[in-house]
Amino acid sequence: MKDVHDWWQRPRRVAVLVDNPSWILPYAERLVSLLEANGDRARLCRSHDELEGDVAFYLGCIRITPRAVRERMRRNLVVHASDLPKGRGFSPWTWQILEGKNEIPICLLEAVDEVDAGPVIYRDRIRFAGHELIDELRAAIGQATIDLCQRFMMEAVPLEGTPQRGEATIYRRRRPDDSRLDPNLSLAQQFDLLRTVDNNRYPAFFELRGHRYIVKIEKQGLIGGRP
């Protein structure tokens, strides 16, 4: 009799899905390259129609994957940056930075019918110093995403997750208006908002004296040898 995990032998067929023009795309491409280098057959997918194989990783996706699509795969896995079940939904690490947090949990979990509600396989944390802007934040989240996916693929057998426990909370989708600054507050008071804005796609702005003004931020360097 064949072992239930016989399919786990390399080369495994791995799909990495990004279903929108997300910032995560370069990291998804890097993950595909690393999986290929490790002996698996991996490819980047941009829609559910392309999914087939053994393992699917859903990175930065905004569309729910129907059960019929998930059933094409042996395992369906999501990376989500919150302390599940708290912080399900959209832009979890951005909302947490806005809440003043600089230690961001990140999980690898099974995709199920309900969004971000599946059993959690790994829990890890990313620690920030508090000065990082969006490119640095994304780089850390992107690398942690790659690490979790690779960790799963390096296991001797495909691990099962642990059901989530506790009360769930949901983050809503962010909108361009969420980049609004209050001209009556100081920059220091609004620095966490400035850390999370995208200068090109959704820049910070404020309205004053009948006009709207765009504010763009970039890091120039250290002052006195300190971050």
Side-chain angles (χ1 to χ4, degrees):
M1 177 182 294
K2 289 188 176 181
D3 186 270
V4 68
H5 293 140
D6 277 354
W7 66 272
W8 192 242
Q9 304 305 310
R10 293 185 182 90
R12 297 154 297 190
R13 297 170 299 160
V14 186
V16 179
L17 176 67
V18 182
D19 67 0
N20 66 99
S22 170
W23 65 267
I24 200 76
L25 266 170
Y27 300 94
E29 292 169 347
R30 189 183 308 170
L31 174 60
V32 167
S33 296
L34 290 169
L35 293 171
E36 287 276 349
N38 198 42
D40 287 309
R41 293 201 299 265
R43 65 184 186 127
L44 178 66
C45 300
R46 302 305 310 280
S47 75
H48 290 146
D49 294 340
E50 301 174 65
L51 289 182
E52 61 177 359
D54 297 313
V55 180
F57 291 108
Y58 302 88
L59 307 185
C61 292
I62 61 175
R63 299 174 182 85
I64 297 174
T65 304
R67 179 177 296 187
V69 173
R70 300 199 311 270
E71 287 176 346
R72 299 179 204 156
M73 316 297 296
R74 295 179 184 271
R75 297 298 297 270
N76 295 271
L77 304 170
V78 176
V79 176
H80 189 78
S82 78
D83 191 14
L84 294 169
K86 296 185 182 300
R88 295 176 183 173
F90 293 95
S91 307
W93 59 267
T94 301
W95 287 115
Q96 290 171 82
I97 294 293
L98 291 169
E99 293 165 1
K101 297 176 182 176
N102 278 304
E103 185 171 291
I104 305 299
I106 187 166
C107 300
L108 181 75
L109 65 148
E110 199 81 34
V112 296
D113 290 341
E114 187 178 353
V115 175
D116 302 326
V120 176
I121 299 167
Y122 302 129
R123 293 180 185 268
D124 207 343
R125 290 183 178 272
I126 305 167
R127 293 172 176 83
F128 295 109
H131 59 77
E132 298 88 350
L133 301 185
I134 193 165
D135 286 344
E136 297 164 294
L137 297 169
R138 286 172 170 172
I141 298 290
Q143 186 58 53
T145 297
I146 290 173
D147 292 345
L148 287 179
C149 297
Q150 283 196 290
R151 180 178 170 187
F152 180 82
M153 298 303 297
M154 292 297 291
E155 297 286 359
V157 296
L159 298 186
E160 302 295 330
T162 302
Q164 298 180 30
R165 301 189 184 281
E167 182 179 356
T169 60
I170 307 292
Y171 285 124
R172 66 171 175 83
R173 182 178 295 186
R174 289 183 59 74
R175 305 293 184 186
D177 201 54
D178 290 313
S179 296
R180 179 189 296 269
L181 296 167
D182 185 338
N184 297 308
L185 297 179
S186 69
L187 287 176
Q189 289 173 290
Q190 300 177 91
F191 184 59
D192 285 332
L193 173 58
L194 287 168
R195 292 173 65 197
T196 63
V197 298
D198 185 312
N199 285 338
N200 297 313
R201 295 178 60 193
Y202 40 88
F205 70 93
F206 66 93
E207 295 176 349
L208 187 67
R209 299 176 182 175
H211 293 272
R212 175 174 289 198
Y213 300 89
I214 298 296
V215 177
K216 297 191 176 185
I217 183 171
E218 62 181 35
K219 184 179 289 186
Q220 186 174 34
L222 304 179
I223 299 175
R226 297 183 303 166

